């Protein structure tokens, strides 16, 4: 595939990003909306206080969405395509790879984008599935409401926070697909720490409420990875 053909390839990648967004928004839309409304009617039993836990991660998600939208139009992305549909890699107006040098690395560029978009679409499916499986337990806040049941099966039988995991992977994989340095840096430096902190706070709240039942659940599942991988990371 020549450099000029990369323009078509790039358009396909951006179309896949939009496809993932559409899927997350409209797949099971009625069911998810119904569950959210039901959740809002439930009485709050426990609520995790803290702006950094409750609001900052959500605001960070909004910023990720804005950075993603900008990257689709190559704002904040290292990938540039000129009027002749020839790509180059540059940042802040400084081109560091183009012409023959970029041509020699086109295969690597294709692989990065393809891997990124495949993982992005997979993450969008996981995100939507995790929401559906939570049912009426799904809340925008870290809380416990009357009528909640501890979810320990399906995706939640492998990891405790599949929703947060897919949320993180979405932005990371989108940044790879679009070669977006702005989205990548925000996700790594801000978004991931916020959601790791939110997951820890949620673990503490759930353990406070369900006690031994949740402690037993924690022993057989990892926070973001299946327990075998989670234990290896802890040893390191």
């Amino acid at each position: 595939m020549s450099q000029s053909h990369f323009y078509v390839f790039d358009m396909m990648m951006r179309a896949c990003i939009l496809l993932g967004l559409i899927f997350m928004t409209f797949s099971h839309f009625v069911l998810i909306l119904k569950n959210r409304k039901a959740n809002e009617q439930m009485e709050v039993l426990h609520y995790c206080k803290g702006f950094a836990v409750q609001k900052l991660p959500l605001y960070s998600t909004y910023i990720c969405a804005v950075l993603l939208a900008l990257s689709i139009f190559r704002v904040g992305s290292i990938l540039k395509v000129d009027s002749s549909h020839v790509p180059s890699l540059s940042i802040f107006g400084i081109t560091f790879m183009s012409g023959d040098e970029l041509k020699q690395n086109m295969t690597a560029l294709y692989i990065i984008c393809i891997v990124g978009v495949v993982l992005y679409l997979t993450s969008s499916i996981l995100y939507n599935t995790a929401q559906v499986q939570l049912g009426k337990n799904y809340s925008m806040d870290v809380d416990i409401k009357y009528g909640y049941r501890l979810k320990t099966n399906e995706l939640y039988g492998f990891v405790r926070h599949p929703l947060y995991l897919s949320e993180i992977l979405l932005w990371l994989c989108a940044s790879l697909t679009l070669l977006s340095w702005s989205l990548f840096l925000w996700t790594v430096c801000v978004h991931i720490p916020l959601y790791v902190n939110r997951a820890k706070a949620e673990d503490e709240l759930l353990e406070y409420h369900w006690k031994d039942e949740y402690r037993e659940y924690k022993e057989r599942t990892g926070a973001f990875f299946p327990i075998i991988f989670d234990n290896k990371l802890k040893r390191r």
Side-chain angles (χ1 to χ4, degrees), residues 60-189:
S60 178
T61 296
Y62 300 149
I63 293 175
C64 284
V66 171
L67 293 175
L68 175 63
L70 292 173
S71 297
I72 289 177
F73 295 98
R74 301 196 185 93
V75 177
S77 172
I78 64 173
L79 175 64
K80 309 296 178 184
V81 180
D82 62 22
S83 57
S84 300
H85 298 166
V86 177
S88 63
L89 301 181
S90 63
I91 185 170
F92 300 124
I94 303 173
T95 300
F96 58 90
M97 190 177 293
S98 62
D100 292 337
E101 185 180 3
L102 180 58
K103 188 175 181 179
Q104 294 174 358
N105 293 278
M106 289 297 284
T107 300
L109 200 60
Y110 290 135
I111 291 174
I112 290 173
C113 293
I114 291 173
V115 170
V117 79
V118 169
L119 292 177
Y120 171 82
L121 293 174
T122 302
S123 299
S124 67
I125 294 172
L126 289 176
Y127 184 84
N128 190 267
T129 302
Q131 276 189 303
V132 172
Q133 290 180 358
L134 266 184
K136 296 178 181 179
N137 277 25
Y138 179 77
S139 174
M140 297 295 288
D141 299 320
V142 178
D143 58 18
I144 296 176
K145 295 178 179 177
Y146 181 80
Y148 274 17
R149 296 293 181 269
L150 182 60
K151 182 72 176 178
T152 60
N153 61 344
E154 298 178 307
L155 288 177
Y156 294 84
F158 296 97
V159 293
R160 298 194 301 278
H161 305 286
L163 197 60
Y164 297 161
L165 174 61
S166 56
E167 159 86 19
I168 290 170
L169 290 177
L170 271 171
W171 307 120
L172 276 180
C173 296
S175 69
L176 290 178
T177 304
L178 299 172
L179 300 179
S180 172
W181 62 266
S182 56
L183 179 57
F184 180 81
L185 287 179
W186 181 268
T187 302
V188 172
C189 298

